[in-house]
Amino acid sequence: MAAAERRGIFITGTDTGVGKTLVAAGLARFLTERGLRVGVCKPVESGVANPADLGPDAGLLKWAAGSSETDDLISPYRLSAPLSPDQAAKLENRRIDFNKIAEAVDSTATKCDFMIIEGAGGLMAPLAGGLLVADLVKQLGFPLLVVARTELGTINHTLLTTFAARTMEIPTTGIILCGMPETPDQAQQNAPHALASLASCGVLASLPAVDGSERQKVQSLAETLASSPTLPWLLSALNLTRRLSDYP
Ligand SMILES: Nc1ncnc2c1ncn2[C@@H]1O[C@H](COP(=O)(O)OP(=O)(O)OP(=O)(O)O)[C@@H](O)[C@H]1O
Ligand SMILES: C[C@H](N)[C@@H](CCCCCC(=O)O)NC(=O)O
Ligand SMILES: [Mg+2]
């Protein structure tokens, strides 16, 4: 399928553990509940205790999207060690092949309205022999969505990520801040405004810290998205405004 005909995003983060999976799954849930066929892929997941099964990230994405794709299409590389993917792959004498990932993504994308791909770690995390997550993003051809934490330090990490994306000519749709507490401190109150004025792309949502199991958190974030005042910007940035109005 030609890149221009495919709708979707590649979700990266400013670091590992910043909320990429929750944002990806929350968005998948939100869109699926509105009738869109959402394809999901976690091309490389490291730290998978039992690689015969889906890891926690891919499993949550599959649940959120209600996907019936095979495990190998949703999660082409499942690696045991909770390390940088290239290192985890080396420990198993494996090499991550971008063409295999591209085939899996293409095969899913042809069957769905919107594709959500979650990277591993941040944009510069190494995947294979000097190739980084950013190189995979370029090969797959989907625009980037950057998930960032809310605490002090996030301005620097987020701007470094968007700057690196721009330098590598990777189109970035925007930033989502994830985990805003009910009572944000001064740094957290300032972060969305600072990023909105300094980054070369918009802040498309500021999502709250939510409670419960991982699935409950995803459901809460999907509901938050539905009532978010910035939802129109988010949908427009994802090129989904018209598509969603076609559905109930
Ligand atoms: N908005 C939030 N509210 C509550 N908990 C959150 C929120 N965002 C993330 N978390 C929690 O923080 C942890 C890390 O989040 P998540 O797994 O989404 O990170 P990640 O960026 O996908 O990490 P990785 O690089 O391993 O893929 C999880 O336990 C998740 O439940
Ligand atoms: C083990 C982590 N949870 C994550 C990989 C993080 C790599 C970070 C590399 C680095 O920047 O040092 N794996 C994953 O997202 O599948
Ligand atoms: Mg994740």
Side-chain angles (χ1 to χ4, degrees):
M1 187 188 259
E5 295 166 25
R6 304 177 309 174
R7 265 174 231 262
I9 40 162
F10 190 110
I11 299 192
T12 192
T14 54
D15 197 357
T16 183
V18 295
K20 294 185 301 293
T21 304
L22 281 199
V23 170
L27 184 61
R29 190 88 181 150
F30 169 81
L31 296 174
T32 302
E33 283 173 347
R34 276 149 192 84
L36 261 73
R37 294 168 301 163
V38 176
V40 287
C41 184
K42 170 89 183 182
V44 184
E45 182 165 353
S46 59
V48 179
N50 177 13
D53 296 328
L54 287 182
D57 285 18
L60 198 62
L61 293 173
K62 177 178 180 169
W63 169 79
S67 168
S68 52
E69 283 295 1
T70 64
D71 287 357
D72 285 346
L73 287 182
I74 295 173
S75 173
Y77 289 98
R78 306 189 281 278
L79 305 166
S80 301
L83 295 170
S84 168
D86 65 333
Q87 207 184 344
K90 201 168 167 197
L91 289 175
E92 299 178 21
N93 291 317
R94 296 175 70 190
R95 196 171 188 288
I96 292 163
D97 176 356
F98 283 14
N99 291 329
K100 177 179 160 176
I101 293 172
E103 279 167 25
V105 167
D106 249 354
S107 162
T108 305
T110 51
K111 294 171 242 162
C112 67
D113 302 309
F114 195 79
M115 191 72 210
I116 298 178
I117 305 159
E118 184 200 342
L123 195 57
M124 296 288 153
L127 291 180
L131 292 172
L132 311 173
V133 167
D135 296 297
L136 178 63
V137 179
K138 287 202 84 158
Q139 176 157 345
L140 296 181
F142 288 92
L144 204 63
L145 179 67
V146 178
V147 176
R149 61 194 174 85
T150 62
E151 292 87 355
L152 187 66
T154 199
I155 299 171
N156 174 56
H157 289 150
T158 308
L159 293 179
L160 284 172
T161 302
T162 55
F163 183 76
R166 196 147 47 109
T167 305
M168 291 183 73
E169 299 180 337
I170 297 171
T172 304
T173 54
I175 298 159
I176 291 188
L177 284 160
C178 183
M180 193 62 82
E182 239 174 272
T183 316
D185 63 25
Q186 270 186 291
Q188 289 169 316
Q189 285 175 41
N190 178 51
H193 306 290
L195 286 170
S197 69
L198 292 169
S200 48
C201 55
V203 177
L204 302 175
S206 173
L207 298 177
V210 288
D211 292 324
S213 68
E214 295 300 286
R215 286 187 183 188
Q216 285 165 339
K217 287 181 183 183
V218 169
Q219 191 62 46
S220 297
L221 291 183
E223 285 160 20
T224 304
L225 280 175
S227 59
S228 166
T230 58
L231 182 65
W233 296 350
L234 176 63
L235 295 180
S236 159
L238 299 179
N239 204 12
L240 277 172
T241 308
R242 243 196 55 207
R243 183 59 65 102
L244 262 192
S245 67
D246 291 345
Y247 292 87

